[in-house]
């Protein structure tokens, strides 16, 4: 991958970086007084109109089978008793919708009970208990399973299941008539895994464009929409016919959805939809409600801990991975490499992988091919879908698609970022920087948006990491369309005039910073329209705009803007790349953390990205190689002692076990210090 050469070429920043740490002589961890330490969510008052949704499936008397995400009857009884004894208030869909429309607020400690799939145990075991308490619940059955005739086995996603394990429509009618049970929809016949890529991954049928092994093509967008529209119509009519009411609640199989699918159910009149994401629910996102999955048959202490800590702030421990290192011309070797990566990430016990979705084998930062099907660039290999799914399901991490913002090779006809030379008074592409498309060129913007849309259609992922190529220096962009945009915004039409007045220069800098952010927001909107509103955002920021805010002029990056815009701000906390002497690296990291911490709440939304490689080439021209894992682990501990919660590193050399897993895992894993 690119050596992040952009910052290295801004040599005039180096003097400023060194001066910042010159006075940091004391190399000690920061002390936070008790009254300034963060308070757990469980110790705070219950937020107004917040509720926690609990996702149950099967209830079994003995040996609860996790094929069906089952909970034992005894544990279920004790869990309901614990909720009652501790003041939790089960609520109904009517209460939620009434509060959403300005009616009576939800009670404190509100919980919503949901039951997926349509197991007969809901009728025989759960419903009597709910009726005894007078508690409402949502039952979301899969229509095709309930349609199975009495003497036939149910096709349970390819498994033959005895018919008596699944409810009958008559039982559904009876429970609906009780007034306690809201009947929702769990699709009609899309509760199964469908072929999602050439490598054979089976992924949730409602959330993906299926791969056809005969044509070697993916399902078209129109075919995907038609498949979902037909399924929604079937289950909606079945529930209406049985209950006399059109269903209002949609529950996604496996918790996976897409923006396209959400639009379809919204158009059909559904008012609420549920995933299996973590966290509490709020009234402003009823079409993308998270739920706490009750698994695997937790006892009361474990259950209580999960409920109480419903809104614990997320901890991010990240490894940024080059798919260039996974890819091999031999598909069998690619699979071996991927298996090695997935096992390493699983062993590391982290939370997140920033996964390269583009190809950059030469390391020049200009994207000429990608790892997903698209109609604009060559596909080096259909690999991103496969890698993302393996990491999510086998290593149990969130996956962010790591993508550039501007550095794409769509041909010479598009306008590129131009740098104005004050000596020659000419504007040319700067060979020392990323070769970037101009964000002011409508055609370039359109093509970048289309590429991001193709990415969103190609795979299930949790977020996007916007790469560090989204920068404009204090001499950029000087292209004709950029100058026209400046004039339209009320600025002078030449770079010389823009730079000639300090006030104008500051206004121009802010304009460019916000313009780049607005473009990433547009990309996010297009991705979420296809992939869904759950997609999170992160963006790399160079260290200098944090340490010296006036250097925004050199980058068009601003920490406050990033914190207000993205779910995660990702500073490149790379002291050696910044030219900081090794002995002063800890002091430099302290200063970086302190600079972020000076912005209230910023540390909760910031992921410090360390370097696992020293890219500085010695005079011989040889690569100086990997960072000592002990040093890297020490930096991680340093960040924690200074107050940083979230951090990671780039790159990871899983082939050579660099950094060494045994050394790095205790420092980065959420399964180690200070958690266990």
């Amino acid at each position: 991958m690119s050596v992040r050469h952009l910052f290295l070429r801004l040599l005039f920043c180096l003097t400023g970086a060194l001066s910042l740490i010159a006075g940091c002589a004391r190399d000690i961890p920061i002390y936070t007084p008790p009254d300034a330490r963060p308070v757990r969510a469980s110790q705070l008052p219950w937020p107004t109109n917040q509720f926690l949704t609990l996702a149950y499936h099967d209830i079994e008397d003995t040996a609860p089978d996790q094929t069906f995400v089952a909970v034992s009857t005894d544990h279920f009884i004790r869990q309901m008793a614990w909720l009652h004894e501790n003041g939790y208030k089960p609520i109904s869909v009517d209460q939620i919708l009434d509060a959403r429309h300005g009616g009576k607020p939800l009670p404190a400690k509100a919980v919503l009970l949901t039951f997926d799939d349509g197991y007969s145990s809901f009728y025989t075991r759960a419903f009597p208990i709910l009726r005894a308490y007078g508690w409402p619940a949502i039952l979301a059955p899969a229509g095709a399973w309930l349609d199975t005739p009495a003497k036939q086995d149910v096709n349970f996603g390819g498994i033959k299941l005895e018919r008596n394990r699944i409810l009958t429509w008559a039982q559904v009618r009876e429970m609906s008539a009780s007034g306690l049970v809201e009947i929702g929809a769990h699709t009609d016949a899309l509760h199964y895994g469908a072929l999602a890529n050439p490598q054979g991954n089976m992924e949730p049928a409602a959330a993906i464009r299926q791969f056809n092994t005969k044509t070697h093509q993916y399902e078209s967008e129109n075919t995907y929409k038609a498949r979902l529209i037909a399924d929604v119509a079937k289950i909606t009519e079945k529930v209406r016919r049985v209950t006399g009411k059109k269903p209002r609640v949609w529950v996604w199989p496996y918790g996976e959805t897409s923006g396209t699918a959400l639009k379809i159910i919204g158009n059909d009149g559904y008012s609420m939809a549920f995933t299996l994401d973590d966290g509490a629910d709020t009234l402003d996102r009823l079409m993308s409600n998270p739920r706490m999955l009750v698994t695997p048959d937790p006892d009361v202490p474990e259950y209580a801990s999960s409920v109480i800590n419903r809104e614990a702030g997320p901890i991010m421990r990240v490894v940024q991975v080059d798919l260039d290192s996974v890819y091999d011309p031999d598909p069998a070797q690619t699979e071996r490499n991927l298996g090695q990566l997935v096992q390493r990430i699983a062993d590391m016990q982290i939370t997140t992988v920033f996964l390269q979705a583009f190809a950059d084998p030469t390391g020049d930062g200009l994207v000429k091919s990608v790892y997903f099907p698209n109609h604009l660039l060559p596909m080096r290999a259909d690999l991103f879908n496969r890698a993302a799914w393996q990491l999510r399901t086998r290593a149990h991490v969130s996956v962010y698609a790591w993508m550039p913002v501007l550095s794409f090779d769509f041909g010479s006809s598009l306008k590129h970022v131009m740098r104005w030379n004050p000596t020659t008074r000419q504007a040319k592409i700067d060979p020392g920087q990323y070769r970037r498309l101009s964000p002011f060129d409508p055609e370039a913007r359109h093509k970048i948006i289309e590429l991001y849309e193709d990415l969103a259609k190609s795979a299930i992922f949790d977020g996007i990491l916007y790469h560090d190529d989204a920068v404009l220096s204090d001499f950029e962009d000087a292209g004709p369309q950029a100058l026209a945009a400046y004039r339209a915004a009320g600025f002078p039409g030449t770079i010389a005039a823009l730079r000639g007045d300090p006030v104008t220069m500051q206004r121009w800098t802010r304009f460019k910073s916000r313009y780049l952010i607005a473009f990433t927001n547009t990309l996010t909107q297009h991705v979420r329209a296809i992939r869904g509103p759950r997609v999170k955002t992160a963006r790399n920021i160079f260290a200098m705009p944090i340490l010296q805010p006036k250097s925004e002029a050199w980058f068009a990056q601003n920490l406050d803007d990033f914190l207000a815009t993205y779910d995660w701000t990702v500073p490149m906390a790379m002291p050696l790349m910044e030219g900081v002497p090794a002995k002063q690296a800890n002091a430099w990291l302290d200063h970086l953390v302190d600079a972020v911490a000076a912005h209230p709440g910023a540390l909760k939304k910031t992921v410090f990205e360390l370097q696992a490689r020293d890219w500085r080439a010695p005079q011989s021209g040889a690569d100086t190689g990997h960072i000592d894992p002990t040093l890297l682990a020490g930096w991680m501990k340093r960040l924690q002692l200074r107050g940083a919660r979230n951090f990671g590193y780039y790159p990871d050399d899983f082939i050579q076990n660099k950094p060494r897993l045994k050394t790095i895992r205790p420092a980065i894993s959420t399964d180690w210090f200070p958690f266990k």
Side-chain angles (χ1 to χ4, degrees):
M1 186 45 217
S2 168
V3 181
R4 302 188 185 269
H5 57 288
L6 177 61
F7 186 81
L8 290 177
R9 296 184 184 275
L10 297 172
L11 295 178
F12 55 82
C13 297
L14 178 58
T15 302
L18 293 177
S19 66
L20 281 170
I21 61 174
C24 299
R26 293 183 300 167
D27 190 22
I28 58 175
I30 195 169
Y31 171 75
T32 304
D35 59 355
R37 295 170 189 168
V39 179
R40 290 188 177 184
S42 59
Q43 298 173 311
L44 298 171
W46 191 278
T48 301
N49 282 333
Q50 185 182 94
F51 62 102
L52 176 67
T53 302
L54 303 176
Y56 285 93
H57 289 72
D58 199 10
I59 311 294
E60 297 184 18
D61 289 338
T62 58
D65 190 342
Q66 293 312 300
T67 301
F68 312 108
V69 200
V71 172
S72 70
T73 304
D74 180 62
H75 281 173
F76 179 72
I77 293 171
R78 292 174 183 270
Q79 289 163 7
M80 296 301 101
W82 182 87
L83 291 175
H84 180 265
E85 292 166 4
N86 287 276
Y88 288 88
K89 307 293 183 184
I91 55 174
S92 67
V93 173
D94 283 334
Q95 286 176 273
I96 294 170
L97 295 179
D98 183 52
R100 174 69 177 84
H101 294 106
K104 184 179 179 180
L106 298 177
K109 305 181 81 171
V111 295
L112 181 64
L113 304 175
T114 67
F115 295 80
D116 293 7
D117 296 348
Y119 298 102
S120 59
S121 63
F122 180 77
Y123 180 79
T124 60
R125 298 182 179 95
F127 182 50
I129 295 170
L130 297 175
R131 189 162 46 188
Y133 281 114
W135 284 353
I138 295 172
L139 170 67
W145 295 349
L146 273 65
D147 289 342
T148 306
K151 295 184 179 181
Q152 291 185 17
D153 290 335
V154 176
N155 181 2
F156 185 81
I159 301 173
K160 289 184 176 181
L161 192 64
E162 292 182 3
R163 180 62 185 82
N164 62 8
R165 288 290 298 271
I166 299 296
L167 290 163
T168 66
W169 284 115
Q171 291 169 327
V172 170
R173 181 181 295 109
E174 176 188 340
M175 291 186 290
S176 175
S178 72
L180 285 179
V181 180
E182 173 104 11
I183 307 303
H186 203 35
T187 77
D188 182 56
L190 294 180
H191 199 307
Y192 66 93
L195 187 63
N197 54 44
Q199 296 91 345
N201 283 112
M202 308 299 286
E203 301 177 16
I208 54 102
R209 284 74 178 161
Q210 298 182 16
F211 182 77
N212 189 315
T213 56
K214 294 181 180 179
T215 65
H216 299 283
Q217 298 291 322
Y218 286 88
E219 187 176 33
S220 72
E221 191 68 6
N222 287 337
T223 302
Y224 171 65
K225 289 179 180 178
R227 177 163 61 86
L228 264 65
I229 289 170
D231 186 89
V232 172
K234 286 180 181 178
I235 186 62
T236 300
E237 176 56 23
K238 288 177 182 179
V239 173
R240 187 205 61 76
R241 187 173 62 245
V242 169
T243 67
K245 307 170 188 175
K246 187 175 181 179
R248 302 180 290 179
V249 178
W250 188 274
V251 177
W252 294 106
Y254 316 105
E256 295 291 353
T257 183
S258 73
T260 304
L262 280 171
K263 185 176 181 180
I264 288 170
I265 65 169
N267 290 341
D268 203 68
Y270 284 85
S271 301
M272 298 176 64
F274 291 90
T275 67
L276 286 173
D277 293 336
D278 293 330
D281 301 89
T282 57
L283 299 180
D284 60 350
R285 56 176 182 183
L286 293 184
M287 291 299 285
S288 187
N289 287 293
R291 294 188 297 165
M292 188 188 98
L293 180 62
V294 183
T295 185
D297 189 29
D299 56 19
V300 170
E302 182 182 357
Y303 178 85
S305 176
S306 297
V307 171
I308 290 170
N309 294 301
R310 66 201 178 278
E311 274 291 85
I315 298 293
M316 286 277 273
R317 298 296 165 82
V318 183
V319 170
Q320 188 161 339
V321 172
D322 289 324
L323 268 185
D324 290 335
S325 300
V326 176
Y327 170 76
D328 191 276
D330 177 7
Q333 185 59 50
T334 296
E335 278 298 297
R336 287 191 289 271
N337 291 344
L338 179 59
Q340 192 170 345
L341 168 66
V342 172
Q343 185 61 59
R344 175 176 169 86
I345 296 298
D347 291 342
M348 200 173 294
Q349 295 287 297
I350 57 174
T351 69
T352 308
V353 168
F354 292 158
L355 183 65
Q356 184 187 31
F358 60 97
D360 186 20
T362 62
D364 64 2
L366 180 60
V367 177
K368 301 179 179 67
S369 61
V370 294
Y371 287 111
F372 55 89
N374 72 99
H375 67 286
L376 292 168
L377 290 173
M379 181 173 67
R380 194 181 192 204
D382 192 350
L383 185 55
F384 181 78
N385 178 305
R386 167 73 167 172
W389 187 253
Q390 294 294 93
L391 285 164
R392 293 176 87 241
T393 59
R394 297 185 181 277
H396 307 294
V397 293
S398 297
V399 172
Y400 282 51
W402 165 28
M403 282 281 284
V405 178
L406 302 173
S407 297
F408 298 102
D409 187 0
F410 292 141
S412 59
S413 63
L414 299 179
K415 304 301 181 185
H416 288 75
V417 171
M418 308 288 281
R419 184 182 188 277
W420 184 71
N421 187 317
T423 302
T424 65
R425 306 186 73 81
Q426 299 293 318
K428 294 183 179 180
I429 295 174
D430 186 348
Q433 311 289 353
Y434 287 111
R435 186 180 177 91
R436 291 150 287 152
L437 294 170
S438 173
F440 301 100
D441 179 5
E443 187 178 355
R445 289 166 62 94
H446 179 70
K447 286 187 178 295
I448 295 169
I449 289 169
E450 286 187 320
L451 187 66
Y452 269 78
E453 288 178 336
D454 287 341
L455 169 67
K457 294 172 186 175
S458 73
I460 296 173
F461 51 88
D462 303 284
I464 304 168
L465 171 67
Y466 292 116
H467 188 35
D468 61 16
D469 67 313
V471 291
L472 293 170
S473 78
D474 52 336
F475 292 95
E476 296 173 334
D477 181 4
Q481 291 181 312
L483 296 176
Y486 305 151
R487 288 192 294 269
F491 291 100
T494 68
I495 302 298
L498 287 164
R499 291 177 52 84
D501 174 62
V503 174
T504 302
M505 176 74 177
Q506 172 63 17
R507 289 179 50 239
W508 178 50
T509 295
R510 299 297 297 127
F511 173 80
K512 291 190 295 180
S513 295
R514 291 167 178 163
Y515 197 91
L516 288 173
I517 280 181
F519 183 46
T520 62
N521 283 343
T522 298
L523 295 175
T524 300
Q525 291 166 8
H526 281 265
V527 169
R528 285 176 175 166
I530 295 169
R531 191 69 271 143
R534 301 155 57 198
V535 173
K536 303 293 186 183
T537 58
R539 184 175 166 193
N540 281 132
I541 185 171
F542 286 96
M544 188 56 66
I546 299 174
L547 296 172
Q548 285 189 340
K550 289 184 178 180
S551 68
E552 178 184 354
W554 309 333
F555 299 90
Q557 293 184 342
N558 178 284
L559 178 60
D560 286 319
D561 288 348
F562 277 44
L563 293 170
T565 303
Y566 307 106
D567 294 294
W568 297 100
T569 295
V570 187
M572 289 179 285
M574 302 181 176
L576 302 185
M577 190 186 78
E578 305 290 0
V580 175
K583 292 183 178 180
Q584 296 182 7
N586 278 347
W588 185 87
L589 289 170
D590 286 351
H591 190 68
L592 184 63
V593 174
D594 291 348
V596 172
H599 302 253
L603 289 178
K604 293 181 179 179
K605 298 186 65 178
T606 302
V607 181
F608 295 89
E609 189 168 30
L610 298 163
Q611 62 184 106
R613 196 168 182 83
D614 187 352
W615 293 289
R616 300 171 301 174
Q619 292 183 354
S620 63
D623 188 349
T624 52
H626 301 89
I627 299 290
D628 185 315
T630 302
L631 176 61
L632 181 59
W635 287 344
M636 292 178 181
K637 292 175 182 177
R638 187 73 192 185
L639 290 173
Q640 291 185 78
L641 290 171
R642 203 68 185 179
R645 295 156 44 96
N646 313 295
F647 52 84
Y649 68 87
Y650 170 80
D652 184 73
D653 187 345
F654 57 91
I655 300 295
Q656 298 187 61
N657 187 26
K658 302 287 187 178
R660 189 168 57 249
L661 179 63
K662 183 178 179 180
T663 303
I664 206 69
R665 181 170 53 192
I668 194 172
S669 171
T670 53
D671 210 40
W672 290 57
F673 176 84
F675 303 98
K676 292 185 179 179

